[in-house]
Amino acid sequence: MKPLYGAYLTLSSSLFISLFPAFWAYTRITGKYRGHLKERLGVFPSEAVQGLKGRPRIWMHTASLGEVKVAASIVKALRGMTPSCTIIVSTVTEHGRKLARETFGEDIPVVYAPVDFVGSIRKALFSVRPDVMVFVETEIWPAWLFETHRMGIKTALVNGRISLRSIGRYLKLRPFFRDVLRNVDGFSMIGAGDAERIKAMGADPRKIEINGNAKYDLLGATVDPDIESEMREILNLEDSDKVFIAGSTRDGEEALLLDAYEKVLKAFPETILIIAPRHIERIHGIEALVEKRGLRHQLWTDIGKDNAKRTEQVLIINAFGELFKIYSVGTIVFCGGSLVPLGGQNPLEPAAWGKAVFYGPSMENFMDAKWVLEANRAGIPVSSPEMLAEKAVWFLRHPEELKAYGERGRTAVLKNKGAGEKHARVIMRLWKSDANV
């Protein structure tokens, strides 16, 4: 055992053992987390494991919503290559689990990921016994990787992404992560920058390849004109209405976007604003901000039921899983987490709808997507609320240019499909090298 990993193991185990009694008591008293505590400890429902009959047996671990979408693309490719394969998916978050179950249905079992504690990891691995353990994007769990390697299970990091914002933190602990990454058999990275950063962390260059972003694959296929018609009806929109969508906004950003919106209103007074925060627990604060500006608003959950329609000029989305569909009706679409220094959000989703995408200077977490849009003159960077308002007004006055940007963005998304299959081939290659098939 490497000394640094031994230190991590000692520290993490001590914390787990010391904190677990209090956490267990909390679940008993509040009922929160009680339903999936066993899965977090590595005890999966028997029905989730007993159906894993075929080969190869692949365990695909995702964190939340975005990674589940990536997994869906790769799973589709795996099934096309080897129909006999059997797959189980784990998630970290409740929302990720819900989306995974909606995405994979009864065909693929979905469980909560075990905590990165040796006892939980070992129990889960002995239960599932995967041929290949697949981690999606930036899921680097030291104990999980070490135990997987120790058991002789092939391990892959697919759709691998190491952001500019996070690499500094990783490099401060480079000796530790070098030891951790030795347990990975294949790194299938999104872009050249990601490949260079994982290499700088200590990954073996011979195990690294660049295969693109699987998020492209499903975007084009999920765009459906019927969805736009449905959204227009729910939102009470005419084709001529101008809609400013602020998607996946973060704390501190809504005030800046309201500044921009108020400037847009001076030129186009009927413009509708839709705010979709990344974390819906902040809804009450956002409502207060909107009311302070003297703007009337509605919540998403207050429309669509009992034939209620949107009647106010500002709509706040207080439900998960709706934003992609709502992008279909956008005229001006802003990608959140980028006017504040939080790395941005995925600009490809609105681009798939043929929308010109505006975003701030902080897009470090999605540099590959930003590059694709800007290389095709489909992305519109802004540095401030004032610039956002200025450019939004210009494009609203030049709708033919707005449409051209959107069309180029959609074409760019469709041209970059196929990454899911490339990542799937890495997984299959690892299995075949181990199984000699």
Side-chain angles (χ1 to χ4, degrees):
M1 182 184 298
K2 299 289 183 181
L4 290 174
Y5 175 72
Y8 170 83
L9 192 62
T10 300
L11 178 61
S12 60
S13 298
S14 298
L15 286 171
F16 179 84
I17 291 168
S18 61
L19 295 176
F20 181 74
F23 179 73
W24 182 86
Y26 174 77
T27 65
R28 297 296 98 183
I29 294 168
T30 65
K32 197 173 183 182
Y33 306 117
R34 184 188 298 180
H36 52 78
L37 181 59
K38 285 185 178 180
E39 292 180 28
R40 301 291 194 187
L41 297 177
V43 181
F44 295 156
S46 57
E47 60 270 19
V49 179
Q50 289 173 354
L52 302 176
K53 303 290 188 184
R55 281 290 187 270
R57 182 178 296 189
I58 299 167
W59 181 348
M60 189 163 291
H61 172 62
T62 66
S64 191
L65 302 174
E67 294 81 7
V68 169
K69 294 174 184 177
V70 168
S73 172
I74 298 171
V75 165
K76 181 179 179 182
L78 286 169
R79 286 282 173 81
M81 293 174 189
T82 310
S84 63
C85 72
T86 186
I87 299 166
I88 184 170
V89 173
S90 61
T91 69
V92 174
T93 69
E94 181 179 347
H95 299 297
R97 179 188 178 99
K98 180 181 178 184
L99 178 62
R101 286 189 161 173
E102 291 173 356
T103 301
F104 300 117
E106 299 296 323
D107 192 34
I108 293 176
V110 177
V111 296
Y112 280 110
V115 295
D116 203 39
F117 168 65
V118 170
S120 303
I121 296 298
R122 285 180 181 173
K123 191 163 191 62
L125 287 171
F126 275 114
S127 175
V128 176
R129 294 188 176 276
D131 296 306
V132 186
M133 181 70 239
V134 180
F135 296 88
V136 178
E137 295 209 347
T138 52
E139 291 298 287
I140 301 173
W141 296 41
W144 199 340
L145 285 166
F146 184 87
E147 291 302 316
T148 304
H149 181 74
R150 190 184 63 82
M151 291 176 63
I153 300 165
K154 291 294 184 180
T155 308
L157 180 71
V158 301
N159 216 64
R161 179 167 65 93
I162 304 294
S163 72
L164 285 169
R165 295 182 70 245
S166 63
I167 186 61
R169 296 192 298 271
Y170 285 126
L171 292 180
K172 289 177 182 177
L173 298 170
R174 185 179 186 277
F176 172 68
F177 280 106
R178 183 182 59 229
D179 289 347
V180 171
L181 295 177
R182 282 174 179 159
N183 298 306
V184 181
D185 297 295
F187 299 90
S188 189
M189 308 303 289
I190 289 175
D194 303 292
E196 285 300 316
R197 288 187 282 275
I198 200 84
K199 179 181 173 182
M201 288 167 59
D204 185 344
R206 295 169 297 180
K207 298 178 180 178
I208 301 171
E209 53 188 277
I210 300 165
N211 284 319
N213 194 338
K215 284 182 179 176
Y216 289 107
D217 290 4
L218 295 179
L219 287 177
T222 50
V223 168
D224 184 345
D226 290 340
I227 293 176
E228 181 179 353
S229 299
E230 177 191 0
M231 288 297 105
R232 288 198 173 277
E233 182 176 351
I234 291 172
L235 295 170
N236 194 23
L237 296 173
E238 300 293 334
D239 289 344
S240 59
D241 285 336
K242 295 173 176 57
V243 183
F244 184 153
I245 299 176
S248 294
T249 59
R250 304 293 290 273
D251 191 20
E253 200 166 34
E254 289 85 10
L256 301 176
L257 291 165
L258 286 168
D259 289 342
Y261 176 59
E262 287 178 336
K263 289 180 171 60
V264 171
L265 287 178
K266 292 177 182 178
F268 294 92
E270 302 303 317
T271 303
I272 295 154
L273 175 64
I274 299 177
I275 302 174
R278 176 72 170 169
H279 303 113
I280 61 174
E281 61 267 21
R282 296 194 300 107
I283 288 294
H284 295 307
I286 297 169
E287 287 186 280
L289 274 176
V290 171
E291 290 168 2
K292 190 176 180 179
R293 303 290 180 111
L295 298 168
R296 296 172 62 87
H297 75 278
Q298 286 172 284
L299 296 177
W300 171 261
T301 51
D302 291 333
I303 65 172
K305 59 183 181 183
D306 300 325
N307 295 317
K309 298 288 186 181
R310 181 203 58 79
T311 55
E312 304 298 348
Q313 204 162 2
V314 178
L315 179 69
I316 302 173
I317 308 302
N318 60 337
F320 283 105
E322 305 294 341
L323 181 57
F324 181 74
K325 294 186 289 185
I326 290 169
Y327 277 142
S328 67
V329 300
T331 312
I332 299 294
V333 175
F334 176 79
C335 183
S338 61
L339 273 179
V340 290
L342 291 172
Q345 294 295 331
N346 184 9
L348 301 179
E349 293 188 352
W353 282 106
K355 308 299 177 181
V357 189
F358 297 70
Y359 41 79
S362 181
M363 288 290 287
E364 298 90 345
N365 292 346
F366 294 89
M367 291 301 290
D368 66 305
K370 177 178 181 290
W371 181 86
V372 166
L373 293 181
E374 291 182 6
N376 289 276
R377 292 188 64 233
I380 305 169
V382 299
S383 60
S384 65
E386 293 75 19
M387 183 181 286
L388 172 59
E390 179 184 336
K391 288 196 173 186
V393 168
W394 188 90
F395 275 99
L396 289 173
R397 286 174 174 159
H398 298 83
E400 69 287 348
E401 278 297 310
L402 191 66
K403 182 179 179 182
Y405 267 73
E407 289 176 348
R408 289 194 294 267
R410 175 163 170 77
T411 299
V413 170
L414 295 176
K415 279 197 309 186
N416 282 274
K417 291 169 61 178
E421 182 175 341
K422 294 176 183 177
H423 294 303
R425 291 192 184 282
V426 172
I427 296 167
M428 295 305 299
R429 193 162 64 241
L430 289 174
W431 172 62
K432 289 178 180 179
S433 70
D434 194 47
N436 295 315
V437 295

